[in-house]
Amino acid sequence: MVQYQRLIKKGEKLRVTVEEDGSGATALLLSLFSRYKSPVWVNYFSKLFYAFSRILVVSFGVYHEFNDGIIPLFITSQHFNKKVVFVIVEYHSWWVMKYGDIVSQLSDYPPVDFNGDNRTHCFKESIVGLMIHDELTVDPSLMFGNKTILDFRNVLDRAYWPRIRGLIQDEAANKTGKRFQELGLKKPKLVILSRNGSREVLNENLLVGLAEEIGFFVEVLRPDKTTELAKIYRCLNSSDVMIGVHGAAMTHLLFLKPRTVFIQIIPIGTEWAAETYYGEPAKKLRLKYIGYKIKPDESSLYDEYGKDDPIIRDPKSFTRKGWDYTKKMYLERQNVKLDLKRFRKPLSCAYDFSTKRIGPVYRSY
């Protein structure tokens, strides 16, 4: 018997019920590299389940990996209490290695490579595809048990803490990692997510000096594609303030604890994307969000085009031309040189908020 059921407006969930074989598990057939749904063909022969889905593959990156993969995986599967098998249409070993700690918190079973596994698997039911609610968030009104994005963050916490404990033990054995403990005991910790190439803070060293002058312990984090996620999680989970220029790396706001301050530096021409993709999700995660919209003369484009060019004077007239124009001009060609006198205000607000929250003595791992 095959049943089709449309459950939510965004995306489509196909439920296929087959003869139960006693395993008690559900099969979730998915692509972790696309948020776009297309027709799914299902053939049912006795206990043999087969499905194939044509998908549109999007570019990889931490934002898409979480927004279009990991969070929808949580949304679609969490109510099974780990009694679910993930059957991955486009199986990539690097993805399984990178996100295996999280996947193990959602399933008691190893993922199955749909195209590479020739075994016959029998399940009592299957779900084809993933559900997405919104950008980097979980809508409790659509969830079993009214789960929220905070419940997803608890999954991250359980996933990464075993590795973090191991890192702490290694540091203790090697007598490393003391600097933060000694110098930052009573100071709020500020992490700057550094960029290179585009949307780079050109006077980052002066920003560090200003933050230290205000009273922060400052750590500059420069993650790359090979940086272990547990290490990034540890750094941000122990911070009180995170600063970064709008971009995919802001996805790491998911690693911040509630009531942490998140300051997003917003280059010209990126206001809508910055607020939609990161500002609003930050509020739902109960972060203290501060959006710092730079002035035209804080942008490298100002020196290149001048104050009277529409690119500077009226960015909306340019962004209306489409995403390709926006990306090439405002994302790929723009850097930031902060007006530190102006930026002192949000930094000072973040410091005051943090010191009130953490109290007179601050301890962190």
Side-chain angles (χ1 to χ4, degrees):
M1 177 179 181
V2 179
Q3 298 177 337
Y4 300 87
Q5 183 179 17
R6 190 183 300 274
L7 297 183
I8 59 175
K9 292 181 180 179
K10 285 193 174 184
E12 188 170 297
K13 174 175 164 183
L14 174 63
R15 181 179 292 274
V16 185
T17 303
V18 301
E19 182 180 351
E20 185 171 356
D21 67 348
S23 66
T26 294
L28 179 55
L29 183 77
L30 55 108
S31 167
L32 297 169
F33 307 103
S34 175
R35 66 185 303 168
Y36 305 101
K37 305 299 186 297
S38 61
V40 177
W41 296 270
V42 178
N43 296 311
Y44 170 52
F45 302 95
S46 183
K47 289 188 178 183
L48 173 64
F49 168 76
Y50 174 79
F52 176 77
S53 173
R54 295 182 183 271
I55 63 166
L56 175 64
V57 179
V58 300
S59 60
F60 300 150
V62 67
Y63 173 81
H64 289 293
E65 288 165 17
F66 271 94
N67 189 67
D68 305 340
I70 296 296
I71 295 177
L73 194 62
F74 168 79
I75 290 171
T76 310
S77 69
Q78 58 82 33
H79 63 286
F80 290 113
N81 297 317
K82 301 179 72 173
K83 301 303 178 185
V84 60
V85 178
F86 299 139
V87 183
I88 303 177
V89 173
E90 293 199 15
Y91 188 98
H92 295 269
S93 297
W94 66 262
W95 188 93
V96 175
M97 291 181 63
K98 185 174 182 179
Y99 293 106
D101 290 338
I102 301 175
V103 172
S104 68
Q105 295 298 316
L106 299 175
S107 172
D108 283 334
Y109 310 95
V112 173
D113 180 355
F114 181 79
N115 293 309
D117 192 329
N118 294 321
R119 296 174 297 171
T120 298
H121 299 270
C122 300
F123 305 98
K124 65 175 184 178
E125 63 176 350
S126 65
I127 298 172
V128 181
L130 298 175
M131 292 185 291
I132 296 176
H133 291 167
D134 210 335
E135 310 302 331
L136 296 179
T137 197
V138 175
D139 185 343
S141 69
L142 299 174
M143 294 291 288
F144 291 95
N146 301 116
K147 295 295 179 64
T148 71
I149 190 65
L150 294 175
D151 293 292
F152 172 75
R153 196 192 176 282
N154 290 337
V155 170
L156 298 182
D157 214 44
R158 294 194 299 270
Y160 291 129
W161 258 103
R163 172 58 178 152
I164 290 172
R165 290 191 186 95
L167 292 171
I168 295 171
Q169 292 172 358
D170 291 343
E171 290 175 359
N174 297 324
K175 297 182 179 180
T176 59
K178 287 187 175 182
R179 184 171 180 267
F180 176 75
Q181 296 174 357
E182 293 172 354
L183 301 181
L185 184 60
K186 296 185 179 181
K187 293 182 178 182
K189 176 183 173 182
L190 181 147
V191 175
I192 298 173
L193 268 179
S194 184
R195 293 184 61 94
N196 290 311
S198 67
R199 283 161 287 152
E200 180 181 350
V201 178
L202 299 176
N203 54 346
E204 184 177 88
N205 59 330
L206 297 179
L207 172 60
V208 172
L210 175 61
E212 290 176 340
E213 176 190 326
I214 290 173
F216 286 106
F217 173 85
V218 181
E219 182 172 345
V220 179
L221 182 62
R222 297 184 176 90
D224 58 34
K225 293 181 180 179
T226 64
T227 304
E228 189 177 350
L229 284 177
K231 293 181 178 179
I232 301 175
Y233 187 87
R234 180 189 179 191
C235 176
L236 295 176
N237 188 60
S238 64
S239 68
D240 300 292
V241 181
M242 183 182 85
I243 295 176
V245 181
H246 167 67
M250 296 302 95
T251 305
H252 292 114
L253 65 87
L254 295 167
F255 294 2
L256 299 172
K257 290 181 293 189
R259 300 189 70 214
T260 298
V261 181
F262 168 40
I263 302 177
Q264 180 176 209
I265 299 170
I266 305 174
I268 60 172
T270 67
E271 290 85 354
W272 179 86
E275 295 298 333
T276 301
Y277 297 131
Y278 304 109
E280 290 303 317
K283 297 171 188 176
K284 294 174 183 177
L285 198 56
R286 298 183 188 174
L287 303 179
K288 172 69 173 177
Y289 173 66
I290 300 174
Y292 178 83
K293 298 179 182 180
I294 71 170
K295 288 186 175 181
D297 61 0
E298 293 178 272
S299 170
S300 61
L301 298 176
Y302 184 88
D303 295 330
E304 186 176 353
Y305 291 94
K307 64 179 181 179
D308 296 323
D309 192 288
I311 290 173
I312 302 298
R313 178 172 45 83
D314 187 16
K316 288 185 179 179
S317 67
F318 202 80
T319 58
R320 288 194 198 103
K321 296 180 180 180
W323 170 247
D324 287 340
Y325 288 91
T326 301
K327 180 182 178 183
K328 291 177 182 178
M329 180 57 65
Y330 295 112
L331 297 182
E332 296 179 351
R333 294 182 58 182
Q334 183 173 197
N335 289 314
V336 175
K337 188 175 182 180
L338 292 171
D339 179 345
L340 294 180
K341 290 183 179 179
R342 181 170 176 251
F343 199 71
R344 179 183 284 270
K345 182 177 180 180
L347 264 187
S348 298
C349 290
Y351 180 83
D352 292 341
F353 180 87
S354 299
T355 52
K356 290 178 182 178
R357 181 180 67 84
I358 64 180
V361 177
Y362 180 52
R363 299 183 184 279
S364 181
Y365 54 82

